[in-house]
Amino acid sequence: MINANTVLKLAVQKSGRLHDDSMKLLKECGIDITNGVNKLKSEASNFPLEVFFLRDDDIPQYIEDAVADIGFVGENVVYEKNKNVQVEHKLGFGKCRLSIAVDKNETYDGVQYLQGKRIATSYPLILNDFLQKNNVTAEIHEISGSVEIAPGIGLAHAICDLVSSGSTLFMNGLKEAETILQSQAVLIRNKDLDEAQQTILDKLLFRIQAVKKAKNNKYILLNAPEEKLGEIIALLPGMKSPTVTPLAEKGWHSVHSVLSEDTFWDIIEKLKNAGAQGILVIPIEKMII
Ligand code: ATP
Ligand code: MG
């Protein structure tokens, strides 16, 4: 039972790379947030949730202090801020990596290259950990933004910054030398939620998982000739087993199943080769197992 007065407080990025995907995820979970872009907070109309819009750097601290109960934030920020919060769930968006990059004309032959060098970064804690683990001593120069220009202006020999496509590095004459962290948005939580708050969080996690599962799976329908039915069914995993119904045309069956994104193309090809026809692929909106 949810205590009627309890509302879970969620912190999301006010604007920036994680904002839109965070709001989209809530929407896909069936949670209506009235437009709060210029407000500090906003309440859901159909779920016991209040959303705080904050700078991503501040989210872990707010959660440690229980100003907010949970938050959507990049793993990179969670590890750098090193607050007393718990990572509860990976959200599957905001994917990037924290990498060391050097001038594209340099010969990078391993971490020892960094010995005695100066490295500019907004992630001094994570970088320091990485250097220590690799027994490298380097000077960490902390800057808060535009890290990629540091080598060009003579501020540093190397940088440690977030990369997704690599185009920013390329435009600044840099090349990626070493990946030190793979990151994506995660749901973090305060460690001491009460029972009512935990119940709301469980409900939210249940919905998030259903949305994520649905995105990773596709519903497929196909027609199979009688003599090939066994071979085709054997190729399909399905949630239990595929649904098979006879078609009006004698000797043919309609087969329905669910395929996961990672094996999808491989299985479709095999199905086609096995004699499946009229294959339809349909997105799934929610998936509850
Ligand atoms: P804020 O104003 O909230 O402090 P910000 O400028 O620090 O915003 P953004 O650039 O909006 O942050 O990035 C937010 C998060 O998005 C990053 O911490 C990271 O987890 C994720 N992200 C995904 N791809 C990238 C990328 N290519 N570069 C930077 N961050 C990325
Ligand atoms: Mg920030």
Side-chain angles (χ1 to χ4, degrees):
M1 244 301 271
I2 293 180
N3 177 337
N5 299 319
T6 302
V7 171
L8 199 68
K9 288 174 275 181
L10 163 69
V12 302
Q13 194 187 21
K14 183 175 169 58
S15 61
R17 292 177 198 262
L18 300 180
H19 175 84
D20 289 355
D21 284 336
S22 300
M23 300 315 287
K24 189 166 143 238
L25 177 60
L26 292 176
K27 194 162 184 239
E28 287 167 340
C29 288
I31 299 174
D32 283 335
I33 311 287
T34 44
N35 193 357
V37 175
N38 292 315
K39 291 198 291 181
L40 171 66
K41 59 180 186 171
S42 194
E43 234 171 84
S45 57
N46 58 354
F47 195 83
L49 191 78
E50 195 170 28
V51 183
F52 284 59
F53 300 103
L54 302 167
R55 282 203 59 195
D56 67 345
D57 312 66
D58 298 333
I59 291 176
Q61 182 73 64
Y62 274 84
I63 289 175
E64 181 183 297
D65 296 343
V67 174
D69 305 310
I70 59 169
F72 294 168
V73 69
E75 285 174 292
N76 51 308
V77 172
V78 179
Y79 299 136
E80 182 61 33
K81 299 296 170 191
N82 198 23
K83 299 294 173 195
N84 189 23
V85 298
Q86 191 180 322
V87 174
E88 178 78 46
H89 194 72
K90 292 192 191 257
L91 295 171
F93 60 85
K95 287 188 178 163
C96 59
R97 53 197 187 273
L98 187 64
S99 289
I100 290 173
V102 298
D103 186 294
K104 68 174 190 315
N105 299 317
E106 286 288 305
T107 311
Y108 183 88
D109 48 7
V111 280
Q112 282 309 318
Y113 167 94
L114 299 167
Q115 181 67 35
K117 299 270 194 323
R118 190 192 296 162
I119 312 170
T121 189
S122 309
Y123 294 88
L125 200 84
I126 300 176
L127 176 58
N128 188 45
D129 264 9
F130 172 80
L131 294 174
Q132 270 190 7
K133 274 192 196 114
N134 287 281
N135 298 315
V136 171
T137 311
E139 185 191 336
I140 298 178
H141 189 89
E142 184 178 354
I143 43 179
S144 61
S146 303
V147 174
E148 65 282 356
I149 64 166
I153 59 172
L155 189 67
H157 304 105
I159 65 164
C160 170
D161 202 9
L162 294 174
V163 184
S164 45
S165 69
S167 60
T168 307
L169 295 182
F170 182 79
M171 282 189 304
N172 286 279
L174 301 171
K175 66 177 177 190
E176 202 170 344
E178 197 89 52
T179 299
I180 71 175
L181 176 78
Q182 294 284 351
S183 180
Q184 63 174 287
V186 286
L187 188 157
I188 56 170
R189 57 170 291 173
N190 178 278
K191 288 187 172 166
D192 304 309
L193 298 184
D194 66 26
E195 212 184 314
Q197 291 168 322
Q198 183 67 50
T199 306
I200 302 171
L201 175 57
D202 289 344
K203 270 181 151 247
L204 178 64
L205 285 169
F206 177 77
R207 293 191 189 191
I208 290 174
Q209 273 156 7
V211 168
K212 255 178 70 185
K213 277 238 162 56
K215 275 192 194 155
N216 290 333
N217 288 277
K218 299 270 180 272
Y219 192 82
I220 72 156
L221 299 104
L222 57 89
N223 295 332
E226 182 90 47
E227 67 278 12
K228 296 283 186 178
L229 196 57
E231 193 183 332
I232 286 172
I233 288 174
L235 290 167
L236 294 167
M239 276 167 82
K240 285 260 191 296
S241 60
T243 308
V244 182
T245 39
L247 289 182
E249 189 178 332
K250 217 174 160 334
W252 283 85
H253 286 83
S254 170
V255 180
H256 301 203
S257 188
V258 172
L259 289 184
S260 94
E261 196 78 80
D262 30 309
T263 53
F264 179 77
W265 288 110
D266 188 38
I267 294 183
I268 290 282
E269 201 181 305
K270 288 184 180 147
L271 288 169
K272 213 165 164 287
N273 292 338
Q277 291 184 14
I279 304 174
L280 293 181
V281 180
I282 300 167
I284 300 170
E285 198 183 288
K286 306 279 187 299
M287 190 161 153
I288 294 113
I289 308 184

